[in-house]
Amino acid sequence: MTARATLPYGSWPSPISAADVARARLRLSFPTVAGDDVWWQETRPEEGGRTTVIHLRGGHRTELLQAPWDARTRVHEYGGRSYLPVRTGDGWSIVFSNYDDQRLHRLDEGDPKPYPLTPEPAVPAGLRFADYVLSPDRTELWCVCEGHIAAPAEEGAAAPADAAGIRRAIVAVPLDGSAATDAGAIRELVTGAQFYASPAPSPGGGHLAWVQWNHPRMPWDGTEVRVAAIEDGAAVAPRTVKGGLSESAVAPLWRDEESLYVISDWPGWWNIYQVGLHGESPQALYPAEEEFAGPLWQLGGMPYALLGDGRLAVLHGEGDLRLGIYDTDTLDLVDVEVPYRNWATQLSTDGTTIVGIAGGPDLPTSVVRVDTTTGRVEGLRREMAELPDVAYLSAPRTERLEGPFGRPVHAYVFPPTNPEAAGPEGELPPYVVFVHGGPTGRVSTSLDLERSYFTSRGIGVIDINYGGSAGYGRAYRERLRRQWGVVDVEDAVAAAQALVDGGIADPARLAIRGGSAGGWTTLAAVTQTDVFKAATSYFGISDLKSFVEATHDFESHYLFGLIGPLPGFERAYEERSPLNRADKTACPVLLLQGLNDPVVPPDQSERFAQALAEKKMPYAYLTFEGESHGFRKASTVIRCLEAELAFYGQTLGFEPRGVEPVALTVG
């Protein structure tokens, strides 16, 4: 065995390049199974982030949509499942939302080109569709529709989110294409609420269930599962069967024509209930301090599904979600023996087969098929075709740290790992605190080559699920209520301090980085404390007041819970905004921003850069044309990672290999 070279941390040679990380940004999502057929969405960074639909039949993969078709819905801007397979005679069609115009299109098997099902909207991309199901008679697509009406705004000013005139409904779209030239052919089934999700017709077609909520609540704050009778193709006499103002009820799944399953966090955790249609009390099926669902950021996913014998394929756990089978007769929940430790809330079943999206610390995220009869587990498609040598992959260590006032802070520690190199004796490595977005989100132990890009070079990572994160119950999520910019910052600092106190990290070489809401926490941390010596913000929020005025409708009232309602809490918005404390920034900052971001507008980064220039604090501000919220292009991912590595080298005192220095501006 070759002896490891002694090299300064951060300068280790690594086979994991930024281009490898970009290729690993292939995103697999929303699988569907029917017999031996499986479909899924595949988002490709090398094609500028285009999303296609893949059909697997008999072991043969077929790409159904060629460029420039892009199956991506923009409902709520975060979208979700953007296609639906439809049985047509002996073959299959798919219906999908095309990103460019947001119209629904249909592609029939054997046809060379899709054709539209919905009309050209008056406002470009102003009529959007998501969360599709077939109508009971299979002649229509029932789905969420989001309509945008243009509103005038003063020149050079951002229009408030509500001024966009956005209206949502659950609608019926004919599958024969008649609505492509006649908007009147689209029927409205359910109206009156501001947001909808998960339309679900009952097995016999007599009822329709769905989820709805209104501003200022987010779907993890308070939702209702409603049920209406279907009479002559219309939804009548709707009523709430679960949920409320302070209860998040999601994912209606019909058991039979008279009862359905619902997941509710009424006891403090998202647990499964059985609900009848005739006034019966909801019955908790498996009460546990575990989550059986996740936050509803995207539409079209399901955290559980019905098997052919009446059992339920479920996801459950604290933090990472594992796959289990729940028997409604014996009330037993048995985990399935699979090597994948974390599953996305995107299950589909048919008979004895389960398909989902899953990964693990040393397994790339994959489309996975499980046969519940034989126990056979197949990885059908991986986000990484080839893995680096496992010796370069840092194994996560799960930590439950102690934050301020004894509060627990959940985190995963990824130490520097490289079979070829070791740090000098007596030297402690630099560490970067990774802060996830959301903030109602979660980081998992699933393999992320972005973390390995740093750890294989001798830079440790601690990835935190700070207070407010999903996966640990409602009370943990609500620690961030009116405390955003306080609790998240305290928890990030506590994670860094725990590394220092444990003799794991060099206190003079601590960095923090995050995207979107994680970028906010990053900027808030370095304007409140001097713990960190470098900070990287990917499209982070710096000014709350202008963010509320300019962001999209889905999140336009999100800050009412995180900071406080407006009017009334103006002072808190001003005091917590990093932009208003930029003169207290304690370290150099790297700002990375897409110029077509509808969620966090570019001025959030630009104005903070200007404030750093006035303070004469070193910074770099890199912008990317054509990038939205969350970078999708391979070239952007490569540029950002190499700039970030170079930035840490320049600010934390090491010389990384193979990257050009980033130009830092001072004043």
Side-chain angles (χ1 to χ4, degrees), residues 365-379:
T365 298
S366 307
V367 179
V368 180
R369 177 164 57 190
V370 179
D371 187 318
T372 59
T373 301
T374 65
R376 184 183 182 190
V377 180
E378 300 174 86

Side-chain angles (χ1 to χ4, degrees), residues 151-176:
E154 294 182 13
E155 186 174 341
D162 291 342
I166 297 172
R167 182 176 182 272
R168 299 178 184 86
I170 297 176
V171 303
V173 178
L175 284 171
D176 61 8

